[in-house]
Amino acid sequence: LELVKQRGYDQSFIPLFDMLNHDNGRINTVHDGFFAKDGIKVRASKKIRAGEEVYASYDMSGENDYWGTPEILRDFGFVESYPQRWVFQDPDMWFELHEKKRGGGPPTGLEVHWYPSADGHIFEHDKREIDFLTKELKRLVDVERKYLQSNEGDLIPRHEWNTILQFHEAATTAMAYVIEAAVNSAGVNTTSLKTY
């Protein structure tokens, strides 16, 4: 019962597909909707070599577009690698962080991709939305100062503490990059924004 409850997509148990690992950067499958009339069909999206791991996306598959990195942590217990999706409801904005790559070389940094929200709203980079992001970054910095730099981790199992630290770093990085991208594209006077 627990396996069905944890891996059942609320109403369906999907053998084999439920065993695919998530990695947005290495997706090599495509699939029909979980509740498609003829059932779910999973296909390779590119050539998969013998012994190569098969991946799907839990949040960028078209089924759960409203999910992002926080929801992946909440529902599956890990912090996803790049690309990461961040979804905010109020103000209504969605963005992804992707690794910049040149050819087959290592990542050279991160870049922000803006997406319309579920209702079609496109982030406008106005002062209200940038202020929200700036307050969120300040909150994350305050959490680090008050809680994460303390010895609180001694009371929490090490693997859980490491996941908390990993998520905090991902969220802080996301806020810093998206604020910079929003300010640069909006031409907002940066003297009115505090840096944390």
Side-chain angles (χ1 to χ4, degrees), residues 44-63:
S45 61
K46 58 186 175 183
K47 186 174 180 161
I48 300 173
R49 294 185 200 107
E52 182 180 351
E53 187 162 354
V54 180
Y55 292 100
S57 175
Y58 297 170
D59 62 344
M60 295 185 184
S61 64
E63 287 291 321

Side-chain angles (χ1 to χ4, degrees), residues 43-106:
R43 297 169 297 288
S45 61
K46 58 186 175 183
K47 186 174 180 161
I48 300 173
R49 294 185 200 107
E52 182 180 351
E53 187 162 354
V54 180
Y55 292 100
S57 175
Y58 297 170
D59 62 344
M60 295 185 184
S61 64
E63 287 291 321
N64 299 313
D65 286 339
Y66 55 90
W67 273 1
T69 300
E71 291 77 20
I72 293 294
L73 175 61
R74 179 196 67 206
D75 293 348
F76 298 102
F78 66 90
V79 179
E80 64 183 343
S81 57
Y82 295 108
Q84 294 175 342
R85 175 177 288 159
W86 297 84
V87 178
F88 295 94
Q89 302 301 321
D90 187 24
D92 192 10
M93 70 179 99
W94 296 27
F95 65 90
E96 291 176 5
L97 276 183
H98 291 251
E99 290 179 318
K100 286 186 202 175
K101 292 185 179 180
R102 292 186 186 199

Side-chain angles (χ1 to χ4, degrees), residues 32-174:
D32 303 321
F34 295 129
F35 304 105
K37 180 181 172 186
D38 295 329
I40 188 169
K41 293 179 183 134
V42 180
R43 297 169 297 288
S45 61
K46 58 186 175 183
K47 186 174 180 161
I48 300 173
R49 294 185 200 107
E52 182 180 351
E53 187 162 354
V54 180
Y55 292 100
S57 175
Y58 297 170
D59 62 344
M60 295 185 184
S61 64
E63 287 291 321
N64 299 313
D65 286 339
Y66 55 90
W67 273 1
T69 300
E71 291 77 20
I72 293 294
L73 175 61
R74 179 196 67 206
D75 293 348
F76 298 102
F78 66 90
V79 179
E80 64 183 343
S81 57
Y82 295 108
Q84 294 175 342
R85 175 177 288 159
W86 297 84
V87 178
F88 295 94
Q89 302 301 321
D90 187 24
D92 192 10
M93 70 179 99
W94 296 27
F95 65 90
E96 291 176 5
L97 276 183
H98 291 251
E99 290 179 318
K100 286 186 202 175
K101 292 185 179 180
R102 292 186 186 199
T108 60
L110 297 172
E111 59 189 4
V112 176
H113 294 221
W114 301 103
Y115 289 91
S117 62
D119 66 1
H121 169 79
I122 296 177
F123 182 62
E124 298 167 0
H125 316 306
D126 64 26
K127 185 171 179 348
R128 176 183 160 287
E129 292 171 329
I130 293 171
D131 285 347
F132 165 80
L133 294 166
T134 304
K135 286 177 186 173
E136 180 63 10
L137 180 58
K138 181 185 181 313
R139 185 188 69 77
L140 289 164
V141 170
D142 289 345
V143 164
E144 181 175 13
R145 283 187 202 132
K146 290 178 183 175
Y147 304 107
L148 301 182
Q149 292 178 350
S150 70
N151 290 330
E152 296 288 324
D154 294 341
L155 305 174
I156 299 172
R158 180 60 42 204
H159 68 281
E160 290 180 19
W161 186 249
N162 289 341
T163 301
I164 291 167
L165 296 176
Q166 186 182 14
F167 179 77
H168 183 269
E169 181 179 346
T172 302
T173 299

